[in-house]
C-alpha cells in the first residue's frame, strides 16, 4: 500500500511517499527559513503564501522520486492540526481536493501523532507501551503511548515550548533563526556551569513544564553582561541549554519510572539537539530504560511521519473521507 504524506502545519512544506510501514520511497522538505529569518520567527501570512506556491511542486517531486504516479497512491495522509491555521489550510485543502478528484481516500492526521509515531520510520522500532517526549517549537509534552491512537497526555508546557525558548534566546543574543541549532552550536563552545539558570520543577508529581522564567533569567543575565566589553554568548547558550535539557530529561525519566514503562522515545525538532540526545541516553542507561531517537530528519517537521501515522491509523480503523472536515489549531491528543 502506498501512502502520500503531506505536511504544512508551520513553515515547512513537506511531502513523502511510504510503502506500507516498511519503506520510505521519498521525503521532500521545502524550508521557508529564507523568508522568516529576518523577522526572527515565523510570519503566518508569509508562511501560508509560500505553502501555496510550494505544495504542488513538492508533492510532484515526492511522487517523482518515489517513481510513482498519483494513480498508484492508495491513501493520502495530511496534517489537519495543530499549527498555524493559514498554513494548515493550504496542505489540508490541497489534499482534500486531490482525494476528491482522484477518488483516493484521504485521512487527516494530528501532527502530534506524527511525532509520536515517527520512530516507526526507523529500522529499529519500539514495542508499546512507551513514554514519548515530544519537544518542538510549538509543543513540549510527555505522552504515555499504549498503542496506535492510544496516547495519554501526562504533561505539557504551561507557557513557552522548549524550541520557542531556544528561538527567543537566539533572537535576544542576535544569533539568527531558527535559534535551536544556532544556540546549540554556540553552547558546544561554552561552559554550562557558568550560570545557574532557574529550573521550573513545578508541583512535586507534575510532568508539566514551564520555560518562561528561564527565558527571563537569560534576558536579565544578558542585560547584566552586555555592559562588559565581551558578551560571554557561548557560556550563556551552554548554561541555558543545560537548564532546558536537565528538566526535559528528568521529567521524562521520572514519567517512565512512575508508569513502570521501560522504553523512552524522543520526537520533535528539539530532539535533534545533541546535548539532549546525549544526556537522555546517559540517564536512560542509568535507569535501564531503552531509548529510541529518530534521525534528525524525522524529528523536525516532515511528510514521512504524517504518511506513517496516517497509514497506521488507516490500517487500524479505516474511515470514509470527510470532505466537510476542517483544520484545528490545538492538538486533539490533549
Ligand atoms: O518540530 P519542528 O521542526 O517544528 C515545529 O515546531 O513543529 O521544530 C522546530 C523547533 C524550532 O524551535 C528549532 O529552533 C528547534 O526545533 N530545533 C532545535 C534544534 N534543531 C531544531 N532546538 C535545539 N537544538 C537543535 N539542534
Amino acid at each position: 500500500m502506498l501512502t502520500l504524506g503531506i505536511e504544512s502545519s508551520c513553515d515547512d512544506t513537506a511531502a513523502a511517499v511510504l510503502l506500507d510501514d516498511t519503506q520510505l520511497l521519498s521525503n521532500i522538505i521545502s524550508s521557508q527559513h529564507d523568508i522568516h529569518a529576518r523577522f526572527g520567527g515565523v510570519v503566518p501570512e508569509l508562511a501560508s503564501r509560500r505553502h501555496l506556491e510550494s505544495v504542488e511542486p513538492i508533492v510532484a517531486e515526492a511522487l517523482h522520486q518515489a517513481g510513482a504516479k498519483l494513480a498508484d497512491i492508495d491513501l493520502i495522509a495530511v496534517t489537519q492540526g495543530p499549527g498555524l491555521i493559514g498554513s494548515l489550510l493550504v496542505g489540508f485543502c490541497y489534499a482534500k481536493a486531490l482525494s476528491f478528484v482522484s477518488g483516493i481516500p484521504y485521512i487527516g492526521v494530528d501532527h502530534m501523532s506524527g511525532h509520536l509515531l515517527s520512530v516507526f520510520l526507523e529500522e529499529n522500532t519500539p514495542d508499546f507501551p512507551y513514554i514519548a517526549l515530544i519537544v518542538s517549537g510549538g509543543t513540549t509534552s510527555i505522552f504515555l503511548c499504549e498503542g496506535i491512537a492510544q496516547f495519554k497526555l501526562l504533561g505539557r508546557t504551561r507557557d513557552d515550548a522548549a524550541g520557542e525558548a531556544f528561538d527567543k534566546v537566539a533572537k535576544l543574543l542576535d544569533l539568527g533563526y531558527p535559534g535551536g541549532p544556532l544556540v546549540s552550536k554556540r553552547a558546544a563552545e561554552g561552559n554550562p556551569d557558568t550560570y545557574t539558570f532557574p529550573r521550573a520543577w513545578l508541583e512535586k508529581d507534575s510532568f508539566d513544564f514551564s520555560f518562561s522564567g528561564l527565558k527571563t533569567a537569560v534576558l536579565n543575565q544578558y542585560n547584566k553582561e552586555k555592559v562588559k566589553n565581551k558578551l560571554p554568548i557561548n557560556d550563556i547558550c551552554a548554561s541555558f541549554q543545560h537548564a532546558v535539557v536537565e528538566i526535559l530529561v528528568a521529567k521524562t525519566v521520572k514519567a517512565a519510572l512512575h508508569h513502570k514503562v521501560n522504553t523512552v522515545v524522543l520526537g520533535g525538532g528539539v530532539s535533534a539537539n545533541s546535548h539532549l540526545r546525549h544526556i537522555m541516553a546517559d540517564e536512560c542507561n542509568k535507569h535501564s530504560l531503552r531509548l529510541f531517537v529518530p534521525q534528525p530528519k524525522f524529528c523536525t517537521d516532515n511528510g514521512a511521519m504524517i504518511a506513517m501515522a496516517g497509514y497506521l491509523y488507516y490500517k487500524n480503523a479505516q474511515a470514509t473521507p470527510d470532505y466537510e472536515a476542517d483544520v484545528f489549531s490545538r492538538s486533539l491528543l490533549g
Side-chain angles (χ1 to χ4, degrees):
M1 178 167 164
L2 280 188
T3 304
L4 167 66
I6 301 175
E7 151 67 29
S8 73
S9 64
C10 189
D11 61 339
D12 293 309
T13 322
V17 176
L18 181 70
L19 172 62
D20 298 328
D21 57 353
T22 47
Q23 203 186 346
L24 186 61
L25 302 180
S26 64
N27 188 29
I28 311 293
I29 301 178
S30 165
S31 150
Q32 301 185 354
H33 294 165
D34 57 331
I35 55 169
H36 302 294
R38 69 196 158 112
F39 301 103
V42 177
V43 182
E45 180 64 25
L46 295 181
S48 29
R49 283 167 191 241
R50 178 63 73 84
H51 283 305
L52 266 180
E53 291 165 8
S54 308
V55 68
E56 204 277 328
I58 291 298
V59 167
E61 184 60 21
L63 289 170
H64 174 73
Q65 284 201 15
K69 294 187 202 61
L70 182 61
D72 302 325
I73 298 295
D74 301 292
L75 176 69
I76 300 169
V78 61
T79 306
Q80 192 170 354
L84 300 171
I85 291 295
S87 291
L88 287 164
L89 275 171
V90 177
F92 193 61
C93 292
Y94 181 83
K96 279 201 297 185
L98 214 53
S99 163
F100 193 74
V101 296
S102 64
I104 301 166
Y106 96 90
I107 183 167
V109 173
D110 189 308
H111 182 84
M112 200 71 87
S113 57
H115 281 308
L116 288 167
L117 298 168
S118 62
V119 68
F120 290 99
L121 291 162
E122 298 292 354
E123 226 163 79
N124 214 354
T125 58
D127 292 324
F128 292 107
Y130 58 78
I131 290 290
L133 170 71
I134 305 302
V135 58
S136 72
T139 188
T140 300
S141 308
I142 297 181
F143 285 89
L144 170 62
C145 304
E146 295 178 298
I148 307 296
Q150 282 178 265
F151 308 126
K152 188 170 167 208
L153 179 68
L154 302 180
R156 66 169 162 214
T157 183
R158 295 182 185 173
D159 40 57
D160 290 345
E164 197 180 350
F166 267 96
D167 293 337
K168 286 177 178 169
V169 164
K171 192 172 182 182
L172 170 74
L173 301 175
D174 206 15
L175 298 182
Y177 176 85
L182 300 165
V183 169
S184 162
K185 199 165 165 212
R186 300 298 292 256
E189 307 295 318
N191 176 3
D193 299 322
T194 313
Y195 308 104
T196 310
F197 289 131
R199 275 79 163 152
W201 295 106
L202 306 174
E203 302 80 30
K204 192 170 144 280
D205 293 322
S206 175
F207 295 118
D208 280 354
F209 300 96
S210 166
F211 295 105
S212 62
L214 169 60
K215 198 185 57 193
T216 309
V218 173
L219 171 66
N220 291 341
Q221 194 64 47
Y222 167 80
N223 286 334
K224 258 194 239 166
E225 301 284 350
K226 75 176 177 193
V227 292
K228 296 181 186 165
N229 271 349
K230 198 173 173 298
L231 195 63
I233 289 188
N234 296 349
D235 292 337
I236 293 178
C237 288
S239 304
F240 160 77
Q241 175 178 264
H242 192 57
V244 175
V245 164
E246 196 173 86
I247 208 144
L248 290 175
V249 172
K251 292 210 175 211
T252 306
V253 168
K254 193 172 163 193
L257 300 178
H258 181 83
H259 288 276
K260 299 187 173 40
V261 167
N262 66 7
T263 305
V264 169
V265 168
L266 283 189
V270 181
S271 45
N273 183 282
S274 52
H275 190 58
L276 172 61
R277 288 170 170 249
H278 182 72
I279 302 289
M280 187 69 89
D282 279 356
E283 285 303 304
C284 284
N285 204 15
K286 230 184 260 174
H287 294 278
S288 306
L289 301 171
R290 299 182 73 204
L291 176 65
F292 292 81
V293 191
Q295 299 168 56
K297 66 179 177 186
F298 299 139
C299 288
T300 47
D301 289 350
N302 64 88
M305 70 178 190
I306 301 303
M308 177 60 82
Y311 170 81
L312 293 174
Y313 269 74
Y314 192 75
K315 288 288 276 185
N316 212 33
Q318 295 188 8
T320 335
D322 172 9
Y323 294 106
E324 299 294 315
D326 204 351
V327 297
F328 48 85
S329 61
R330 293 183 65 107
S331 174
L332 303 182
L333 303 183

